[in-house]
Each structure stands twice: as C-alpha cells, then as structure tokens.
Amino acid sequence: MDKVIFLVDMQSFYASVEKASNSALADKPVIVSGDPEQRSGIILAACPIAKQQGVKTAEPLWEAQIKCPDAVVVRPRMQLYIDVSYQITKLLEQFSDLVEPYSIDEQFIDITASQHLFGTSVQMAEKIQQAILEDMGIHARIGIGPNKVLAKMACDVYAKKNSKGIFQLDESNLESKLWQLPISKLFGVGSRMEKHLIHMGLHTIGNVANYPIRLLKKRWGINGEVLWRTANGIDYSPVTINTHQEQKAIGHHMTLPQDYYSWEDIKVVLLELSEEVARRARRQQYWGKRISIATKGVDFDLPTGFHRQQKIATATHFGMDIYRVAALLFQKFWDGSPVRGVGITLGQLERAETYQLSLFDQVEEKETLSKAMDRMYDKYGPTAIVRASSLMPSGQVHVRSKKIGGHYK
C-alpha cells in the first residue's frame, strides 16, 4: 500500500486559540505579540483579518499597529497554547496511532493503515479539519503526500493559500506543481542558500531536481544530496512517535531585556543559562561533552555576534562546568560589541545511567549537591535557590521563572 502522510497545520495558531477562548474577538483583527517594554514586542501570530491589513509575523508591534490601528493586541499565553497543541495531538490519534508533533502548531500523521476507515485521503483530511474546528475552534490546513517532505511543501505552498485548505502533492503533479516554483519555495532553502543556487543558475525547484547530484554533493556534501532528494520528492523518514525522545543537544537562548555592554553583566546571564541547561540535562538524564555558545548583536541590518563550541574531556551535566567553558569561549571571541541575545547548548549527549569516574572532578560530590538543589527546585520552584549574582540588576532568573518560551505563561 502506498504511504499517505498528512502535515496538519493550525492557521494563525496563537491568534486562533485566543479567538476560540474569547467569542468577543471573533470578528476583530487579533494580534498576539510579546511585551515591547521587555524587548519582545514582535508579532508572534496574526489572525487572517489582521493579515489582510498587511500585518506580518515577526515584524515589530509598532509597525503592525500602523498598518492595523484597530487591532486587538493580546499577550501570549504559552501554557494555554501548549495545552491546546497536546489536545490536538490526542484528537489526531483518533485517526491514526502514528502522530508526530513537528512544532507547536504542526503535526505529521501517517494515515496509510487507517484511511480505509474514513474514505479517501481528501475525505479523511476534511473529517480532521471538521473535528479540529468543532472541538478547538481552529481552522486547520492539511498537506497530503506520500512522504513527510511532500506533505510539508503541499501544506506550505498550496494548502495555506487555497480556500479549501487541503492540497495533495505526489508523483502525478510533482513536475507541474512543484518544479515550476522558485527555488525559495524548496523546503530547507534559506535566503543564503537561495542566493548561492541562483548564482549557479538554479532558479526553480525543477532546476535543482534535474541538476547532476554529483555536482551538488561536490559543493555541499550530504546537504547537496538532501537538496536534490527534496526537489525530487524523495524522503524515507517515517512518521514516528519517538522523534523527540532521543535528544542530540540541550540548550537555552535568551533575548536580553536591554543591550548588555559589560562582561560583569554578561557573565551573570551566562551562569544562569549554564545552570538552566545543566538542570534540564539532569532532568532528562543526559551528560554532554560539547559546549556551545552563541551571541547576537543589536543591529538587525548589520548582524554581529558569534557561535563557537568546545569539546571537553569528560562529559558533564553540572552548571559550573558548563559555565567555565562558556565564559572562556565568550571572552576569547567577543569583540566588545553590545549583546542583544545569548545562548548556551550542551551537545554530544550520552545517557546518564553510567558515567566515567574521574580522580580530579569530584563527580560524586557535585552529583549529590546537584540532586539536592534539583529537589528544592522541583518542590518550591525555580527561584527557591539562586546564586547571589542573580540578585544583581543584570540577573534574569526571576523574570524567566514566570515565562514559557520567553513569554509569560
């Protein structure tokens, strides 16, 4: 039996949830935005009414309000959105046992083995749309394909644009519907890659699909082959419920409430991020051997910042171990420019069931102390015990404790 996979996308998800929870907003242009006073005044979602007036996701709130002065601005409620996303997953599991969350508002579902119970693939997509609308009050767009990459592009390029909100992309219409699109529409192609491909004379997806794969591999290695396969609609990755169970890295990034200029302020945030990453690693029972730091400057037009990493001899999930490496990397590569955002990641993970003993690292003592602190966090919350440095004006631990995903709960 040929595979049939859906990519189910929730239209303007955050804004749709807000409208569904408040009937008074039904006919109003709703914008979900962060707090401009905390440097997060960016449009996270806009309902179709607001988008018709020119509002775009990721633009500053003040620009959106110029375009749509009558917009109702709502602060994000991240926990609510997470809860609704989970409810949608449970609803989709009524149609198939193979449901894979792709993001908070997108989910893959493999209906190959269950489509005979619900009619054709299009009929099943319509049933799913109706169920989500009735239960959640949210409109869903559904891309249909024989694999995940075609289902994704069917949704992004066509289902989101047509009135029905459903589109099928497969071998029968690959050349007529996919290959004629500009290369920017190919999944996985960003602005930089687009410029490189256009410079090579590859202006459409069809150009890439028919370009010699050996030349793409010669230039970009395995990524070149992935480009060619995607353009040709080839994707063997299955829809699996276990996608997010094995992590490759654990990290945390923070957009700062104001520009940070001094090392004294920045190191406070680095220590807080290090402790947060370490705590997550311990909670998920991982150790890591690679520590990465990334920074972002303040100028959008002239991006500054850096991304560097260092491998350590012995795996760790302790905050101070991570901080020491991150601090050294920052001091080595920072050019003194003001910092708008910073992130720390622990990579090259291994399971924590066993660990290598060291004569010098005092692993058992650090493990005992960390577990005691974790118990306090679990019982009394993330601010039950903090380092003295977090009480400085540059500290962010108390503010972040009230947020999910950088926004208030």
Side-chain angles (χ1 to χ4, degrees):
M1 185 183 297
D2 293 335
K3 277 190 172 297
V4 181
I5 294 172
F6 292 174
L7 188 279
V8 184
D9 171 86
M10 305 304 128
Q11 183 182 55
S12 306
F13 182 53
Y14 296 170
S16 295
V17 172
E18 295 296 341
K19 284 195 167 192
S21 63
N22 184 357
S23 58
L25 300 176
D27 300 321
K28 299 182 184 299
V30 173
I31 293 173
V32 179
S33 169
D35 185 356
E37 294 183 3
Q38 291 295 324
R39 277 268 286 272
S40 55
I42 300 298
I43 304 304
L44 303 178
C47 75
I49 300 175
K51 287 181 178 178
Q52 288 172 4
Q53 298 186 44
V55 177
K56 298 179 181 179
T57 302
E59 72 177 345
L61 175 59
W62 65 269
E63 289 186 8
Q65 289 177 312
I66 292 175
K67 298 175 182 177
C68 186
D70 58 339
V72 178
V73 181
V74 180
R75 293 288 177 261
R77 296 187 287 173
M78 299 307 297
Q79 188 59 59
L80 174 62
Y81 308 149
I82 293 170
D83 293 341
V84 173
S85 179
Y86 178 74
Q87 291 169 20
I88 292 171
T89 302
K90 304 301 346 177
L91 186 151
L92 293 177
E93 288 175 350
Q94 298 175 20
F95 293 88
S96 171
D97 60 346
L98 292 175
V99 178
E100 177 184 339
Y102 181 65
S103 66
I104 193 169
D105 62 346
E106 295 177 294
Q107 313 208 25
F108 286 109
I109 172 172
D110 187 335
I111 55 100
T112 306
S114 57
Q115 58 183 320
H116 66 284
L117 300 173
F118 301 95
T120 67
S121 57
V122 172
Q123 289 172 335
M124 189 169 180
E126 291 172 343
K127 287 182 171 66
I128 289 176
Q129 279 184 325
Q130 188 62 30
I132 293 174
L133 183 60
E134 290 178 355
D135 287 12
M136 314 293 174
I138 298 172
H139 292 276
R141 288 80 60 87
I142 301 177
I144 306 172
N147 54 49
K148 291 162 74 172
V149 75
L150 285 182
K152 172 67 173 169
M153 288 192 288
C155 185
D156 288 350
V157 179
Y158 288 106
K160 290 183 179 181
K161 305 296 190 297
N162 65 36
S163 58
K164 193 173 184 179
I166 297 173
F167 192 84
Q168 186 160 352
L169 194 58
D170 52 36
E171 288 184 1
S172 67
N173 61 359
L174 196 66
E175 186 172 349
S176 63
K177 293 297 184 180
L178 186 66
W179 285 6
Q180 46 84 26
L181 295 173
I183 191 60
S184 60
K185 299 295 184 181
L186 183 64
F187 178 68
V189 172
S191 57
R192 290 185 180 180
M193 180 63 76
E194 178 188 5
K195 291 178 182 177
H196 287 302
L197 292 170
I198 289 176
H199 184 71
M200 295 171 62
L202 304 177
H203 296 269
T204 68
I205 294 177
N207 292 154
V208 174
N210 293 284
Y211 197 75
I213 187 174
R214 61 180 179 81
L215 297 181
L216 291 172
K217 290 180 68 175
K218 182 178 180 180
R219 178 153 187 175
W220 286 298
I222 189 63
N223 291 328
E225 181 174 348
V226 171
L227 278 175
W228 183 88
R229 285 177 176 270
T230 303
N232 282 281
I234 301 171
D235 178 18
Y236 300 115
S237 59
V239 174
T240 172
I241 62 175
N242 299 317
T243 299
H244 302 289
Q245 290 188 1
E246 289 295 328
Q247 287 193 254
K248 295 182 179 179
I250 296 172
H252 191 76
H253 181 273
M254 184 193 309
T255 298
L256 301 171
Q258 64 269 339
D259 301 337
Y260 278 31
Y261 294 86
S262 72
W263 166 241
E264 293 301 315
D265 288 337
I266 292 169
K267 70 179 182 181
V268 174
V269 175
L270 289 182
L271 182 53
E272 291 180 348
L273 288 171
S274 298
E275 293 287 6
E276 176 67 20
V277 170
R279 189 156 56 248
R280 290 183 182 180
R282 292 194 298 271
R283 184 183 303 121
Q284 298 176 52
Q285 298 186 338
Y286 283 109
W287 301 73
K289 279 190 173 182
R290 187 179 63 248
I291 296 167
S292 307
I293 181 171
T295 70
K296 185 176 180 181
V298 302
D299 192 336
F300 286 112
D301 297 324
L302 185 63
T304 58
F306 61 87
H307 182 280
R308 294 292 186 274
Q309 62 185 30
Q310 181 174 316
K311 186 175 179 180
I312 56 179
T314 305
T316 187
H317 59 195
F318 304 120
M320 285 304 299
D321 293 349
I322 297 171
Y323 168 75
R324 290 189 187 98
V325 176
L328 288 173
L329 288 172
F330 184 90
Q331 290 178 302
K332 182 176 180 180
F333 294 102
W334 182 42
D335 63 1
S337 301
V339 175
R340 176 186 296 266
V342 61
I344 292 177
T345 301
L346 181 66
Q348 198 172 335
L349 301 180
E350 54 190 55
R351 299 301 299 185
E353 283 84 0
T354 59
Y355 60 85
Q356 181 178 345
L357 291 174
S358 170
L359 295 176
F360 309 104
D361 289 339
Q362 297 180 315
V363 173
E364 292 184 352
E365 289 85 347
K366 288 191 287 187
E367 186 76 9
T368 300
L369 176 59
S370 296
K371 285 182 176 179
M373 293 174 65
D374 290 342
R375 287 194 293 269
M376 293 184 67
Y377 290 128
D378 293 340
K379 186 172 183 179
Y380 300 108
T383 58
I385 179 171
V386 299
R387 293 185 178 273
S389 59
S390 292
L391 301 178
M392 302 292 288
S394 54
Q396 294 299 303
V397 67
H398 286 88
V399 175
R400 290 191 300 114
S401 68
K402 303 172 184 177
K403 296 182 177 182
I404 295 178
H407 302 281
Y408 287 100
K409 303 175 183 177

